[in-house]
Amino acid sequence: MDKHGVRGFFSRRIVAGIVVVGVLAAGFGAYWFQPWKLFTDETVRDEAPVAAPAPRTTGSPEQGGMPGDTEKPAAVGPVAVSAGNLISHEHATSGSVKVLRLPDGSRTLRFEDLETSNGPDLRVVLSDAKVVEGRAGWHVFDDGAYTTLAKLKGNKGSQNYALPADLDLDRYRSVSIWCDRFDVSFGAAELTAVKA
């Protein structure tokens, strides 16, 4: 093989190597950033949580009732114990969030009218961090005490997330829609106690 043939052979190998590296880099970038999510929405419409009401007895035979008789159960609904409004961080975010206590003692975190961007690996995170507007508030929700509730069901709509029975809500004062892939908050809300 002459000098020109050797150069051509190595040039083709270099070009092929560059193409292979480019394809691998594009595949990794697509997996890591998931850019198609910028153009797709996932809307979730969970109904507000309810608990089955307990039946009321009509009373003893002395009160004119028969043992085991029941009246129509009283309507019982969830009670909001804390609430807040979402603010934007990395992406424009709006809606409200509340913690609901059901008559059976269970608790649910509920987003209402949520609207944010879709993204890779979005989570619902409770944190002890203060909610700060602007860039200073983007990266703080995993600095102190925090707990990840679940993957975000969708970037739009109303959604429910069951809270663990042993979760101490006095420890956590904010909720964030957190992108775990890039350690950044898409939006967050400070949870304030609701007065009865």
Side-chain angles (χ1 to χ4, degrees):
M1 193 180 283
D2 67 5
K3 198 155 75 173
H4 295 295
V6 170
R7 263 192 228 148
F9 173 76
F10 283 113
S11 294
R12 283 191 298 278
R13 294 206 48 156
I14 290 170
V15 168
I18 290 171
V19 168
V20 168
V21 168
V23 168
L24 290 174
F28 177 77
Y31 164 77
W32 191 253
F33 292 98
Q34 298 178 359
W36 58 88
K37 289 199 169 186
L38 292 173
F39 308 104
T40 60
D41 290 320
E42 294 176 46
T43 302
V44 174
R45 290 186 177 88
D46 288 344
E47 293 293 325
V50 294
R56 297 182 308 191
T57 60
T58 56
S60 65
E62 295 82 33
Q63 296 171 325
M66 296 297 294
D69 284 354
T70 59
E71 291 180 3
K72 189 173 181 182
V76 179
V79 175
V81 294
S82 60
N85 291 312
L86 291 159
I87 65 164
S88 300
H89 279 150
E90 177 71 20
H91 293 273
T93 302
S94 62
S96 63
V97 62
K98 58 178 83 166
V99 174
L100 301 170
R101 186 178 59 241
L102 280 68
D104 64 4
S106 64
R107 297 166 304 170
T108 298
L109 180 89
R110 179 168 172 80
F111 288 109
E112 291 185 339
D113 302 319
L114 170 66
E115 190 145 343
T116 191
S117 297
N118 206 343
D121 207 12
L122 294 180
R123 309 286 173 141
V124 179
V125 170
L126 289 173
S127 169
D128 65 350
K130 184 171 175 52
V131 175
V132 179
E133 292 199 45
R135 190 167 184 81
W138 291 5
H139 299 278
V140 300
F141 294 97
D142 62 349
D143 291 348
Y146 70 94
T147 186
T148 302
L149 290 181
K151 286 191 169 191
L152 187 71
K153 295 177 184 180
N155 63 306
K156 291 188 172 193
S158 296
Q159 308 167 24
N160 301 323
Y161 297 89
L163 295 173
D166 61 347
L167 183 73
D168 180 5
L169 283 175
D170 291 334
R171 188 173 185 197
Y172 303 105
R173 62 191 208 181
S174 59
V175 60
S176 170
I177 297 168
W178 182 256
C179 179
D180 209 37
R181 174 109 1 121
F182 296 104
D183 291 331
V184 68
S185 173
F186 275 30
E190 188 128 358
L191 294 171
T192 305
V194 173
K195 299 198 195 303

